[in-house]
Amino acid sequence: MTTPKEWAEKYRPKSLADVLGNPTAIRQLRSWAEQWLDGTPEQKAVLLHGPAGVGKTSTAHALAQDMEWEVIELNASDQRTADVIERIAGSASRMSTLGGMSSKRLIVLDEADNMHGTSDRGGPKAIGNIILATGQPIVLIANDAYGIPSSVRSNLLEIKFNALQTRSMIPALKQVAQKEGLMCGVGIIEKIAENADGDMRSAINDLQAVAVGRNEINIEDIATAERDNKESIFKVMERIFKGTDAKTALETTYGLDESPEDLIHWIDENLPVQYAGKEEGKVTDSIKNGYEYISRADLFLGRVQKRQNYLMWRYASVLMTCGTVVSKSQPKRGFVKFSPPSLWRRMGQLKARKNMRNNIAIKIAGHCHESMRYSSTEIAGIYSILLEDPEYAPAVVAELGLDLDELAFMTGASKVTKKLQKVYDDAQELRKDKRQDEVPFFRMPEKPILNDDKKQTNLSNILTNKIEPPEENKQNTELVKKKENIDNIIKKTQKTLFDF
Ligand SMILES: Nc1ncnc2c1ncn2[C@@H]1O[C@H](COP(=O)(O)OP(=O)(O)OP(=O)(O)O)[C@@H](O)[C@H]1O
């Protein structure tokens, strides 16, 4: 059986133009590479450093492709003793390439901050020497710039990569889904992007994991995947709320992939339900005692934050777990479902909506040459009202370059309906027919409303508010209706400015 190719690998950017985010870093790297075309730059090696999964390695390879350079790579799985480095990178850095003097060979040293221990003995020193003597460009890649010995760092041009913004990851993830023929429910990509915390590799991996065996994914599928990851939290909840042994409960938290800050939310959410008495709504002693302990645990969590002293997590954990165990007045039996903290869900939904809103605002801002803020508060409303009119909707979608989710969001629909799909399909046809800047904002009906071209142009001017209709034409009912329609839209927007 063949294993499916990892999407993260399959969609690795091939050129610098395909790398998402970090424009300053890309610019710096490109201009450093161009210096090699005119000779040897002052700094012969660069260090790309930053968090995992933001495209450092991909950028190095994309650069080589763009410059048509060969790549010699030494990654962490290779033995990187002084000997090996000298044999591979050292000779590569001195020899000219098959393409002659003008062509270069890019030496890429991945995980350069991870060169210690016996297998890399002498490695950092050898790298330092090669950088001094090289005739070929060298790229070092590291998560932590401070993990590189300062003697090596002093000869490097440091280029910093930051975590990617959620809003730049969303369109790329949507493209991956589209290329894989995967239908995604509204908001699902936004949620995946947001969960990834700026790490594109993990976002693509999550998307692939949720998509296994499906050609359509919905928000419930993510909830199930999240639940699978959280399997151990349910065990801990069981020990805390059903058990009577405080020590065992505490010990189970050690294997948990959650911080005490997260665990306290779980306990807080479930305590009133798990320790509820027979009398509905009555606050039992178990609940009171439990909250007493939780509030003290919370004090310690506050101190951890304030003093950055993580040793105090220990006290917080003991108070919240053992405290909740001993708070119950009698053993609790029977099944009561454990729920994840509702606070997270609310915050997650808010964040996903915010990302979607920002993406739309960027598109409107680009189109109207206005700021994002002005676009979302003042202009977006007009567009959402126009989207309700089947005559204008495709042109608006085409002009702004909205995708289906964004269209659904702007019209306030909870899911993609057939009507929205049709608007979207018509918009794609419009985009295909004309170059983007040629798509008129107000699409004229296919069949002219008026019989001759001159009158048709007049109508176009009136619709775009360039001129008032001539007095005699006001009698033309169709024309007047159109004008009134537009006036109504504008009046309505002034009253109900986009609430999203
Ligand atoms: N900026 C980006 N643009 C496009 N794709 C990206 C980007 N960053 C990461 N990816 C995706 O994630 C995968 C892994 O990226 P890459 O190996 O370049 O990250 P990295 O920063 O070098 O991570 P690490 O430090 O863990 O090695 C790529 O194959 C690509 O699919």
Side-chain angles (χ1 to χ4, degrees):
M1 199 176 85
T2 56
T3 44
K5 190 170 178 181
E6 271 195 22
W7 290 358
E9 207 42 57
K10 190 167 165 192
Y11 296 104
R12 193 184 272 281
K14 302 282 180 300
S15 152
L16 285 184
D18 302 330
V19 177
L20 301 171
N22 287 298
T24 314
I26 305 287
R27 218 176 305 122
Q28 274 178 300
L29 184 69
R30 191 181 277 129
S31 87
W32 169 79
E34 280 163 4
Q35 290 174 34
W36 281 95
L37 301 178
D38 309 323
T40 312
E42 198 183 323
Q43 270 145 327
K44 293 183 275 188
V46 291
L47 169 65
L48 309 184
H49 65 101
V54 298
K56 301 178 300 294
T57 312
S58 308
T59 301
H61 286 266
L63 173 78
Q65 290 239 14
D66 285 358
M67 304 295 289
E68 296 183 2
W69 290 346
E70 292 170 48
V71 177
I72 304 282
E73 191 175 10
L74 263 174
N75 47 42
S77 53
D78 302 318
Q79 247 213 345
R80 298 190 294 189
T81 56
D83 225 28
V84 174
I85 290 177
E86 173 47 37
R87 189 155 36 82
I88 300 177
S91 50
S93 70
R94 285 186 296 273
M95 272 165 19
S96 61
T97 64
L98 291 174
M101 287 307 282
S102 60
S103 182
K104 293 282 169 210
R105 179 177 286 137
L106 184 69
I107 299 164
V108 178
L109 192 90
D110 214 342
E111 296 183 46
D113 49 349
N114 202 7
M115 287 213 304
H116 32 68
T118 45
S119 61
D120 290 338
R121 213 173 316 149
K125 189 154 180 263
I127 298 282
N129 293 340
I130 290 168
I131 291 173
L132 292 178
T134 186
Q136 304 291 339
I138 299 181
V139 173
L140 273 69
I141 297 171
N143 291 127
D144 177 15
Y146 293 99
I148 313 274
S150 51
S151 56
V152 177
R153 262 182 90 184
S154 56
N155 292 317
L156 295 171
L157 169 66
E158 291 185 19
I159 300 183
K160 186 168 184 327
F161 277 65
N162 296 313
L164 298 179
Q165 294 197 351
T166 307
R167 67 164 183 257
S168 58
M169 291 158 70
I170 293 170
L173 288 171
K174 284 185 177 169
Q175 249 183 35
V176 171
Q178 197 192 5
K179 286 186 184 151
E180 293 294 330
L182 184 66
M183 289 276 287
C184 299
V186 172
I188 192 162
I189 296 279
E190 283 74 9
K191 182 97 178 85
I192 291 177
E194 183 195 305
N195 284 353
D197 239 354
D199 177 341
M200 188 64 182
R201 182 201 286 117
S202 108
I204 299 181
N205 286 345
D206 286 352
L207 179 65
Q208 185 171 14
V210 184
V212 171
R214 302 187 170 99
N215 48 20
E216 186 180 335
I217 53 173
N218 287 302
I219 208 81
E220 310 80 69
D221 301 325
I222 294 218
T224 320
E226 276 177 354
R227 206 165 49 236
D228 290 347
N229 291 341
K230 299 266 164 16
E231 200 179 42
S232 51
I233 186 81
F234 290 102
K235 247 186 242 156
V236 174
M237 292 286 104
E238 187 84 28
R239 292 272 150 82
I240 293 177
F241 288 111
K242 305 279 180 221
T244 47
D245 184 350
K247 189 162 168 261
T248 324
L250 182 65
E251 279 166 3
T252 35
T253 64
Y254 297 157
L256 194 60
D257 192 18
E258 305 271 351
S259 69
E261 270 94 359
D262 293 340
L263 182 59
I264 202 167
H265 285 145
W266 276 89
I267 299 178
D268 171 43
E269 180 78 28
N270 290 287
L271 189 131
V273 185
Q274 297 295 333
Y275 285 178
K278 290 213 170 80
E279 214 178 305
E280 210 181 310
K282 183 160 188 276
V283 180
T284 60
D285 285 345
S286 309
I287 297 179
K288 268 192 234 158
N289 295 339
Y291 273 118
E292 187 69 33
Y293 282 110
I294 293 183
S295 66
R296 280 161 61 194
D298 194 41
L299 279 180
F300 279 99
L301 292 180
R303 286 180 197 154
V304 169
Q305 286 299 324
K306 202 160 158 200
R307 301 181 197 165
Q308 292 291 297
N309 179 356
Y310 288 87
L311 285 176
M312 277 191 259
W313 265 1
R314 205 183 300 162
Y315 306 123
S317 298
V318 171
L319 282 165
M320 72 178 86
T321 41
C322 304
T324 313
V325 173
V326 299
S327 296
K328 54 175 112 38
S329 45
Q330 57 191 49
K332 293 278 162 191
R333 298 215 177 75
F335 173 77
V336 186
K337 192 170 124 245
F338 296 115
S339 334
S342 52
L343 175 77
W344 296 356
R345 203 171 46 242
R346 285 199 304 274
M347 284 173 62
Q349 281 165 352
L350 267 178
K351 229 167 147 193
R353 282 178 72 78
K354 204 169 142 211
N355 284 330
M356 175 85 81
R357 188 192 63 189
N358 286 346
N359 275 346
I360 296 171
I362 290 170
K363 291 184 176 175
I364 296 177
H367 183 251
C368 299
H369 306 285
E370 282 295 349
S371 70
M372 241 177 94
R373 195 193 174 87
Y374 185 79
S375 304
S376 72
T377 55
E378 307 291 325
I379 316 178
I382 301 179
Y383 285 99
S384 9
I385 292 170
L386 285 172
L387 284 172
E388 281 167 18
D389 188 322
E391 189 178 344
Y392 303 131
V396 174
V397 173
E399 192 79 14
L400 295 181
L402 297 179
D403 65 31
L404 251 177
D405 286 353
E406 289 163 348
L407 171 61
F409 184 83
M410 283 192 80
T411 51
S414 57
K415 60 181 191 171
V416 176
T417 57
K418 275 193 187 144
K419 193 174 139 206
L420 290 181
Q421 183 70 50
K422 169 142 190 355
V423 169
Y424 181 75
D425 292 343
D426 288 351
Q428 302 318 303
E429 284 303 311
L430 271 183
R431 286 178 71 119
K432 229 189 280 162
D433 289 349
K434 309 191 180 193
R435 280 205 353 254
Q436 197 175 344
D437 51 350
E438 287 172 352
V439 176
F441 176 69
F442 290 105
R443 182 165 68 109
M444 286 295 106
E446 318 252 289
K447 221 166 87 212
I449 294 172
L450 304 173
N451 300 338
D452 64 69
D453 282 353
K454 195 161 155 252
K455 284 186 187 159
Q456 183 70 39
T457 318
N458 271 346
L459 172 60
S460 161
N461 285 337
I462 290 162
L463 288 178
T464 51
N465 261 352
K466 280 189 193 144
I467 52 167
E468 279 290 308
E471 211 40 54
E472 68 274 16
N473 273 10
K474 282 194 178 162
Q475 300 313 316
N476 180 325
T477 47
E478 242 171 330
L479 196 58
V480 171
K481 244 201 266 155
K482 286 277 156 204
K483 173 79 175 119
E484 272 172 4
N485 207 0
I486 297 283
D487 287 345
N488 282 342
I489 287 172
I490 291 169
K491 253 190 243 142
K492 203 165 148 199
T493 349
Q494 279 160 354
K495 264 196 254 137
T496 48
L497 271 180
F498 211 37
D499 164 35
F500 82 133

